[in-house]
Amino acid sequence: MNTILFLYAGKPVESKDTRFGIGKNALNLNNNILGSALPTIGKDSYSVGGEKIVAPDFTTFFLERDLHSGKKMKLYFPKTTNQAKFLPSDVANTIPFSTKKFLEILNHFSVKSESVEAKIMKETIEDCEEPSVKGEAKYCATSLRSLIDFSVSKLGRNVEVFATEVEKEAKMDFVIGEKGVQKIGEKSVVCHKQNYVYAVFYCHEVHATRAYAVSLVAADGTKAKAVAVCHTDTRFWSAQHFAFQVLKVKPGTVPICHFLPKDNLVWLPK
């Protein structure tokens, strides 16, 4: 589930309203530990069952002013574990994608109703069926054709797509290279890959953000071309959000930034 997480009275609370935070599929988290569980949010980390999915000394969130050459960040770019592929659009269009027909979906893919896989699939569909935030369009693309069509419908036909590229799974210090920060746009459609039996992307037209392409290099020579998204309006986020705790800032004061995982796509007008 693309759940938004924040802290209330020391316990995790979930909300699907993207105005109040950032979905876990938009962060570089250790999904081998996370799975479909709801993380506990501590003052310096996300964790599940006591195991940290982001260590306290790694940079998960940062400020926009940190995006400059020579800036050092300890970053975690996990290995992509979601290998699901798109179905051809003519095939995807014949398969239901609805909680009302969930048993039919399970039967089609021979998935047992009480299995963990079934639970994850249902959560993905439920998240896709949630109403969108007022003024922000969203869409769950079940084929490459539908993903492109949605992005083009919001941005026009002259578009380009960006994604984080890393040579290997990395947990190390990176430095932003010389002339390594390029602003790539403000109006965008961001698509987050979901956990499902075939490729499904949760796409939404993003407002009040700035996107950057950032060139990074580590001491061992590992290179990354990462997409950073800075949220410029955080007035309605929970004051107890992990980002504010780590950065020691208040909602609505400064842009909050994070790098997108490798399986996220950012569509921008050229």
Side-chain angles (χ1 to χ4, degrees):
M1 184 185 297
N2 194 23
T3 305
I4 310 305
L5 305 163
F6 34 89
L7 189 72
Y8 179 76
K11 298 180 180 179
V13 180
E14 50 179 299
S15 168
K16 296 178 183 178
D17 190 338
T18 54
R19 291 175 300 180
F20 297 101
I22 301 168
K24 67 186 181 184
N25 289 326
L27 299 173
N28 288 295
L29 305 177
N30 188 339
N31 289 305
N32 290 327
I33 297 173
L34 177 60
S36 62
L38 182 64
T40 299
I41 307 171
K43 65 179 181 180
D44 58 3
S45 68
Y46 285 111
S47 63
V48 170
E51 294 190 76
K52 289 182 172 61
I53 52 177
V54 174
D57 56 343
F58 280 80
T59 299
T60 306
F61 297 102
F62 52 92
L63 300 177
E64 193 171 28
R65 63 172 179 257
D66 292 327
L67 288 172
H68 61 81
S69 61
K71 176 67 177 179
K72 182 183 288 187
M73 298 181 181
K74 191 170 186 178
L75 300 172
Y76 174 42
F77 291 107
K79 181 179 179 181
T80 300
T81 58
N82 186 342
Q83 301 297 326
K85 307 296 183 184
F86 274 125
L87 296 178
S89 57
D90 57 342
V91 175
N93 290 339
T94 66
I95 302 171
F97 189 78
S98 165
T99 51
K100 293 180 179 180
K101 296 187 176 182
F102 189 60
L103 289 179
E104 183 179 338
I105 297 170
L106 295 181
N107 290 334
H108 182 90
F109 292 104
S110 300
V111 176
K112 294 182 179 180
S113 60
E114 301 302 319
S115 66
V116 173
E117 185 178 17
K119 179 183 177 183
I120 294 172
M121 289 170 63
K122 188 174 183 181
E123 288 176 343
T124 294
I125 296 173
E126 287 175 341
D127 193 43
C128 288
E129 291 180 342
E130 279 291 308
S132 60
V133 176
K134 184 178 181 180
E136 182 174 82
K138 76 165 193 175
Y139 177 72
C140 279
T142 58
S143 69
L144 179 59
R145 179 74 267 165
S146 63
L147 187 153
I148 294 172
D149 287 347
F150 176 78
S151 300
V152 167
S153 73
K154 300 302 175 186
L155 303 172
R157 299 189 63 84
N158 194 16
V159 297
E160 55 188 338
V161 62
F162 293 83
T164 293
E165 301 176 20
V166 189
E167 294 177 341
K168 61 182 180 180
E169 181 177 18
K171 296 181 181 180
M172 59 187 73
D173 289 327
F174 283 88
V175 176
I176 298 178
E178 185 177 354
K179 297 181 180 179
V181 180
Q182 175 191 0
K183 183 179 175 182
I184 54 178
E186 296 187 7
K187 183 180 181 181
S188 64
V189 169
V190 180
C191 298
H192 311 285
K193 194 172 187 182
Q194 304 297 292
N195 291 316
Y196 203 66
V197 68
Y198 57 88
V200 172
F201 279 79
Y202 178 106
C203 299
H204 54 122
E205 187 179 15
V206 178
H207 300 286
T209 60
R210 285 188 284 268
Y212 296 86
V214 184
S215 296
L216 301 157
V217 62
D220 70 349
T222 299
K223 295 180 180 179
K225 186 78 170 181
V227 176
V229 173
C230 295
H231 299 263
T232 59
D233 185 359
T234 61
R235 291 174 298 166
F236 303 110
W237 293 18
S238 166
Q240 299 302 313
H241 191 284
F242 175 47
F244 299 131
Q245 297 178 44
V246 171
L247 298 175
K248 295 179 172 54
V249 295
K250 295 180 179 180
T253 56
V254 293
I256 300 295
C257 307
H258 60 97
F259 289 114
L260 292 177
K262 291 189 289 184
D263 56 5
N264 283 210
L265 304 173
V266 180
W267 296 78
L268 295 151
K270 285 187 177 180

